[in-house]
Amino acid sequence: MERIDHLEHLDKHLVDELAQVARETIREELREQTRKQRRTAMLYAASGALALYAGAAVALAVGLGLATGLPDWAAALITAAILGVLAYVLRGAARPHRHPAHHEAAASAPHGPTAAGVTPTGPAGGLGMPYPPMPPTPPAAAPRPGDTDPESPHHRA
């Protein structure tokens, strides 16, 4: 009996040691992955900041180029309009593309869910898109007075 207790103690010790080694290995792997991701994120941030300054320099160059033949205020206004149009086009490019048939149906139908959470084109999905249309179901027949169970509970709507 004493030998079994000794083996259980060794088993517990071995399991604890293996768990500790596994935890240390996983912790080191996660630390290395985090280090790589942090470096990548910093490079993306620096790239974005430099792109912002480059865009500002291009906008300034366009404004100064227009200012040679126009008043300064007109050149600044035209530059701002160009940047606004570019921002609008980029925002449109970032949105998901819709099928023309679906877009026309959605444009003619009123927007927003109804009281039951169902849009006229179907129930709203998680991404704001309606689910595919369901085939129509035949209307249920109204219960006849003799079909109801007098012992069942009655609920009012």
Side-chain angles (χ1 to χ4, degrees), residues 95 98-124 127-130:
R95 288 188 171 184
R98 295 185 177 164
H99 299 291
H102 179 267
H103 186 66
E104 292 168 5
S108 65
H111 294 292
T114 60
V118 178
T119 60
T121 56
L127 299 175
M129 301 292 292

Side-chain angles (χ1 to χ4, degrees), residues 23 79 149:
R23 276 193 295 269
T79 303
D149 182 13

